[in-house]
Amino acid sequence: MSDRVLIFDTTLRDGEQSPGASMNQEEKLSIARLLQELKVDIIEAGFPIASKGDFNSVQAIAREIKDCQIAGLARAKHEDIETAWNAVKEAKNPRIHTFIATSPIHMQYKLKLTEDQVLEKIKDSVSFARNLCPNIEWSCEDGGRSSIDFLYKCIELAISSGATTINIPDTVGYTLPYEFGEIIKNVKNNVSNIDKAIISVHCHNDLGLAVANSLHAVENGARQIECTINGLGERAGNAALEEVVMAMKVRSDLFKSHTNINSESISKTSKLVSSITGFPVQPNKAIVGANAFAHESGIHQDGVLKNVETYEIMSPESIGLKKSSLVLGKHSGKHAFKEKLKILGYDVGDNYINEIFEKFKTLADKKKDVYDEDIIALVDDTHINQINTLKLLNLSIMSGTNSKHVASLELDYQGEIKEISGSGNGPVDAVFSCIAKIVGFSPKLKLYNINAITPDSDAQGEVAVKLEHLNKEFIGKASDIDIIVASAKSYINAINKIINFEKNSNMQEGVSEISLSNMKGI
């Protein structure tokens, strides 16, 4: 058995199925490029049958990303499998990932199929997929609650039908670590042809055990872990890539297996996924949280100053958090700024460096101290707002305890300068109402979230909004030293996504979409 554990990243598929985490094609490509830099082995790029947009995103990733296998998910249906193949077939190393439920509750109530009928579908779907692609992964949805004897039959049949990877999901996060480890060990010891396939696991986090279950599975013979950046995923999410990777790396004294992950790219990949989805990473999140390497207790600080290993079991540098003596301020030049970006892990093209640098100079005039997090936010804002139909030019607010809240905005909308004023229940409500009047539609505000990027009273505020329009949700995110301006920018960012979505929908009119809610699996 190989000592290498393959990392199968499903941020772009299972992660995107988190309510409100939908991404457009360019956003998915941006994440896929960093996943390639992270050196994940397999990228599950999406569910191609779900929609034309999802198909196009998977196809674009398959065409561009060369150093990772590219997988497309498919139900046990010929149409799904053929669509997945058409999306990934141009990849250097394509994979079809097909699945069917095997637990009694799923077979009885969801599939309405007997065990024999499920076995027939496994043979038919896997054989059909193998005739298209040599790299086939098969998953037994809700494997954690399946009868172990029936599981043996399903897995043996899937392998004999052509599956090269067998994925055993704990779809609802039900099992405990020792239980899940036993399932993997029993499969390894009781399926006669299991040596012809790699055992994979896909654990959900409903009981907070996804990482523990994945690691126990590795100890018992699994050699592929399916996971997501920041643990993104349905309900309570998936096993977090950064946690399983660093657990195996830090405790290599116990794990006799390893991954090929470039852990120094973890931090910036985490930040990009958070920025694109609008899902903030909790400060005390393991590995990538803002407090993961912070020490406030006097006892802890004293210990770290004497020997960092007293309270840090891994270094910030090991996940890509660079410590630098290069301090930037309003007198810094473009060369130093560009070097700082490289230290922070950003390779920004010439098309954007001037724009980002101008934003930096403006911020440096306002702030006493410019932190690395401030600069990261500037880069993220610039990349987020590359395609703008609507732009904020100027904003002023009149507000008071006993007076009306009035916003006055100057906007560039479709190349025309628009000026508008309006009132609201508060300054943010007034701003949002004015923007909605300019574009001619008023989406429902589902989420409004504020985070301080850095300490001190002059900290930049990062605002995330979630807007609902035409039964779809759109995330907007932006930062500014003025929280009202940050709110306006985040709202405009989401509005631009709505406008771009509608443009693309009009271009693809007549193409039917299959709801992801009916296709959520494993």
Side-chain angles (χ1 to χ4, degrees):
M1 181 170 56
S2 170
D3 289 334
R4 179 180 170 194
V5 175
L6 302 176
I7 296 298
F8 178 112
D9 184 276
T10 184
T11 303
L12 301 177
R13 198 278 299 172
D14 198 322
E16 193 192 24
Q17 288 177 194
S18 301
S22 60
M23 310 169 216
N24 62 37
Q25 181 172 313
E26 188 51 46
E27 289 168 338
K28 286 189 173 185
L29 272 168
S30 297
I31 292 172
R33 291 176 190 125
L34 274 189
L35 292 175
Q36 180 173 237
E37 182 181 317
L38 194 59
K39 295 187 178 179
V40 305
D41 299 283
I42 305 101
I43 297 174
E44 187 166 52
F47 207 153
I49 194 71
S51 71
K52 183 65 175 175
D54 215 30
F55 177 93
N56 290 340
S57 294
V58 175
Q59 188 176 63
I61 291 167
R63 286 170 174 169
E64 179 176 332
I65 303 301
K66 302 301 180 187
D67 296 336
C68 311
Q69 293 181 37
I70 306 300
L73 187 67
R75 295 168 296 181
K77 297 183 177 184
H78 285 204
E79 183 186 6
D80 278 39
I81 293 166
E82 196 163 19
T83 302
W85 172 242
N86 287 332
V88 302
K89 65 183 180 182
E90 294 180 56
K92 185 177 179 181
N93 194 344
R95 173 183 293 202
I96 296 174
H97 180 193
T98 185
F99 71 96
I100 192 168
T102 55
S103 68
I105 190 168
H106 275 243
M107 289 189 292
Q108 180 180 352
Y109 293 104
K110 189 179 79 170
L111 299 179
K112 302 187 186 303
L113 297 175
T114 65
E115 287 188 354
D116 286 342
Q117 289 172 320
V118 168
L119 288 169
E120 287 175 16
K121 283 190 171 291
I122 292 169
K123 183 177 181 180
D124 175 68
S125 58
V126 175
S127 299
F128 182 75
R130 185 58 186 263
N131 285 331
L132 298 173
C133 178
N135 185 355
I136 304 300
E137 177 172 336
W138 177 78
S139 288
C140 44
E141 185 184 4
D142 204 20
R145 294 191 295 176
S146 298
S147 158
I148 193 69
D149 291 326
F150 182 56
L151 212 52
Y152 298 156
K153 291 180 184 178
C154 293
I155 293 170
E156 186 172 348
L157 179 59
I159 295 171
S160 65
S161 300
T164 50
T165 299
I166 296 296
N167 181 49
I168 302 173
D170 186 23
T171 302
V172 292
Y174 177 74
T175 62
L176 300 180
Y178 76 90
E179 284 183 296
F180 197 62
E182 281 295 307
I183 292 173
I184 303 306
K185 183 165 71 174
N186 288 334
V187 165
K188 188 171 175 57
N189 292 335
N190 291 282
V191 175
S192 61
N193 55 359
I194 195 64
D195 60 316
K196 294 181 173 63
I198 292 170
I199 300 176
S200 170
V201 292
H202 180 120
C203 299
H204 278 263
N205 205 39
D206 298 68
L207 294 177
L209 298 171
V211 170
N213 283 348
S214 300
L215 295 175
H216 269 263
V218 168
E219 289 183 312
N220 285 279
R223 286 298 177 265
Q224 178 178 292
I225 295 176
E226 306 200 355
C227 45
T228 60
I229 302 297
N230 299 337
L232 195 65
E234 295 186 64
R235 304 184 312 279
N238 289 271
L241 179 149
E242 60 276 8
E243 294 179 26
V244 295
V245 167
M246 294 309 292
M248 293 175 68
K249 186 171 183 176
V250 171
R251 295 312 311 269
S252 59
D253 58 321
L254 295 180
F255 284 97
K256 304 309 176 187
S257 50
H258 67 277
T259 75
N260 280 2
I261 291 294
N262 170 26
S263 66
E264 291 183 3
S265 291
I266 284 176
S267 180
K268 64 179 176 180
T269 308
S270 168
K271 286 181 171 67
L272 180 65
V273 170
S274 175
S275 176
I276 285 175
T277 61
F279 286 20
V281 176
Q282 66 192 62
N284 63 330
K285 166 76 171 66
I287 316 298
V288 294
N291 292 346
F293 296 96
H295 307 277
E296 186 169 335
S297 161
I299 295 172
H300 286 214
Q301 290 173 345
D302 179 65
V304 167
L305 289 171
K306 290 173 179 174
N307 186 325
V308 71
E309 292 183 9
T310 53
Y311 288 102
E312 288 187 4
I313 59 172
M314 70 196 96
S315 70
E317 290 84 357
S318 68
I319 66 161
L321 290 174
K322 307 293 185 183
K323 292 183 178 178
S324 169
S325 60
L326 190 60
V327 179
L328 296 184
K330 63 182 181 180
H331 300 298
S332 299
K334 190 185 294 183
H335 178 73
F337 181 72
K338 201 167 186 178
E339 285 302 308
K340 168 63 88 171
L341 291 181
K342 288 180 182 178
I343 290 169
L344 294 174
Y346 289 97
D347 184 13
V348 180
D350 293 337
N351 291 338
Y352 299 109
I353 189 66
N354 290 333
E355 183 179 352
I356 299 169
F357 184 65
E358 281 302 312
K359 289 182 177 180
F360 160 73
K361 296 292 275 189
T362 301
L363 180 63
D365 279 334
K366 296 177 181 178
K367 287 198 70 180
K368 178 181 177 182
D369 298 305
V370 179
Y371 295 86
D372 288 355
E373 290 82 0
D374 291 316
I375 297 170
I376 289 167
L378 291 179
V379 178
D380 289 343
D381 276 356
T382 303
H383 281 283
I384 286 171
N385 294 308
Q386 286 178 24
I387 304 172
N388 288 336
T389 302
L390 180 68
K391 297 178 184 178
L392 177 68
L393 301 179
N394 194 30
L395 165 64
S396 61
I397 293 288
M398 286 195 304
S399 188
T401 307
N402 298 311
S403 60
K404 274 189 175 183
H405 304 275
V406 178
S408 298
L409 287 82
E410 185 180 359
L411 300 161
D412 181 334
Y413 182 50
Q414 297 178 333
E416 293 185 24
I417 306 301
K418 305 279 188 179
E419 294 183 357
I420 187 169
S421 296
S423 61
N425 293 326
V428 173
D429 183 51
V431 168
F432 289 179
S433 297
C434 287
I435 295 170
K437 287 177 185 176
I438 288 292
V439 297
F441 60 90
S442 184
K444 184 177 181 181
L445 181 65
K446 302 277 288 186
L447 171 75
Y448 178 77
N449 188 64
I450 304 173
N451 284 309
I453 295 174
T454 55
D456 303 327
S457 59
D458 62 354
Q460 279 200 96
E462 184 179 66
V463 175
V465 300
K466 184 191 296 180
L467 306 183
E468 184 182 280
H469 182 64
L470 300 178
N471 296 319
K472 286 189 172 292
E473 293 180 340
F474 300 84
I475 297 290
K477 195 173 183 182
S479 57
D480 196 273
I481 198 167
D482 185 325
I483 201 65
I484 306 300
V485 174
S487 300
K489 287 179 177 178
S490 65
Y491 193 85
I492 287 170
N493 177 231
I495 290 289
N496 278 320
K497 289 181 180 180
I498 293 172
I499 293 169
N500 290 331
F501 173 79
E502 288 184 334
K503 284 179 182 176
N504 292 333
S505 295
N506 291 334
M507 290 171 62
Q508 297 170 0
E509 192 171 355
V511 178
S512 63
E513 289 199 4
I514 301 174
S515 173
L516 275 172
S517 63
N518 296 325
M519 305 176 66
K520 294 180 179 180
I522 63 174

